[in-house]
Amino acid sequence: MIRRPPRSTPSNSSAASDVYKRQALVRRLAEEELPAAGQHSLVWDGLDRLGQALPDGTYFIRVSAQAAVRKASANVQVNVDTTPPVIRLANVPEEDQVGGDQTELLIEGVTDPDATVWFNDWARPLEVSEDGRFQVTYILQEGTNRIELTAVDEAGNRTSVVREIVMKTEPPDIVLLNPPDGLWINERMLSVQGTVPPGTQVTINQTKATVDESGHFNEDIVLEEGENIVHVEAVDAVGNTSIEERRVYLNTQPPPLSLTTVEDGMTVREPSLLVVGKTSPQSNVWLNGRELAVDNQGGFQGVVNLIEGENVVR
């Protein structure tokens, strides 16, 4: 027979027996006498005689045995506990991403002081302090890390908490569509265009660029005369950084041009004229509509066929 005990149970057996008699009967496990002497077992499933689950607490099971001339009884105290232990994590959100500079994750939390805490598939449980605190250091791997902590109390009730931490060590890709490296230009405004993974922050020459949902950016910058360094930096959500640089040359001044064999208004006797001159390197030169080769020092030369009378050398 199972009875509900009072809030405080006397320690001596006679007093406990008196308490037992005053409590309500909640279930009789054996309705009939067992026919034979010897060892027997009965199982109580925590339900009352109506099949309803009893609330957590302390109960008495009374066992009585009677022979022809002798009778004996004993009370066994049983604690019913169906409440799973509490487990709370202090510094691990449900979804989190970390960068490559954070390879170690310190996991801290609290549970019931009498609970045992298991971490992933480790062979040994974590150490739990008297006030229920625990902690563990976990080495993160590239990609998704699944973290599961399970707390089990003395009654076998358990609670599990699962977290997924994504570690990203690869920097974001920058596809720089414009400008190409080594570009020469004669306009001070330059459009810098490219793509990065969505959610990436981009700065161009230390100025934040606007990145749309697809990861595309298009920003104008102002160039200085001569060589310019276009510095593009991309930073993802966890701090991984990529850098791309391009050299762009701004030249707004016309190239110098001098002729060493031709003077305005000169008179010649030959039907052809060798034109020799100098300009800046990497310039293009046309002589009367025909392009000439320019050497590394800016020198060039070409021949013009003349007709009788006035000729124009352009």
Side-chain angles (χ1 to χ4, degrees), residues 2 42 142 180 224 229 243 255 275 299:
I2 303 174
L42 294 172
E142 176 73 18
E224 300 291 338
I229 303 296
I243 294 175
V275 179

Side-chain angles (χ1 to χ4, degrees), residues 120-132:
N120 284 1
D121 55 356
W122 288 16
R124 295 182 178 181
L126 303 182
E127 181 178 350
V128 179
S129 66
E130 294 181 354
D131 56 357

Side-chain angles (χ1 to χ4, degrees), residues 9-62:
T9 303
S11 58
N12 60 80
S13 59
S14 61
S17 178
D18 293 339
V19 168
Y20 172 82
K21 294 177 181 178
R22 295 197 304 269
Q23 300 309 303
L25 177 67
V26 296
R27 177 94 175 263
R28 185 185 296 273
L29 296 181
E31 297 295 341
E32 299 179 357
E33 294 184 0
L34 297 175
Q39 183 175 352
H40 301 275
S41 63
L42 294 172
V43 177
W44 179 42
D45 55 9
L47 304 180
D48 63 12
R49 60 180 177 272
L50 299 178
Q52 302 294 322
L54 291 169
D56 290 358
T58 303
Y59 295 85
F60 273 136
I61 298 179
R62 185 174 182 84

Side-chain angles (χ1 to χ4, degrees), residues 164-274:
E164 289 189 349
I165 308 299
V166 178
M167 186 174 76
K168 298 175 61 178
T169 61
E170 294 295 329
D173 292 329
I174 303 176
V175 179
L176 203 53
L177 304 175
N178 189 69
D181 193 32
L183 174 68
W184 284 79
I185 190 174
N186 63 353
E187 297 180 0
R188 291 191 176 276
M189 194 73 73
L190 173 68
S191 175
V192 180
Q193 304 176 29
T195 60
V196 293
T200 303
Q201 294 185 356
V202 175
T203 57
I204 302 174
N205 289 359
Q206 299 182 347
T207 299
K208 185 177 180 180
T210 300
V211 182
D212 63 21
E213 295 180 354
S214 63
H216 184 266
F217 60 91
N218 184 356
E219 294 290 333
D220 292 333
I221 63 172
V222 179
L223 301 176
E224 300 291 338
E225 191 74 21
E227 183 184 63
N228 295 261
I229 303 296
V230 180
H231 181 92
V232 180
E233 182 172 317
V235 182
D236 65 15
V238 295
N240 297 313
T241 302
S242 294
I243 294 175
E244 287 286 341
E245 288 187 342
R246 297 289 187 269
R247 282 177 169 80
V248 177
Y249 301 90
L250 175 65
N251 186 0
T252 60
Q253 302 299 320
L257 180 62
S258 61
L259 302 178
T260 58
T261 62
V262 180
E263 295 180 1
D264 190 31
M266 65 183 297
T267 301
V268 297
R269 297 174 181 266
E270 302 294 331
S272 62
L273 175 65
L274 177 64

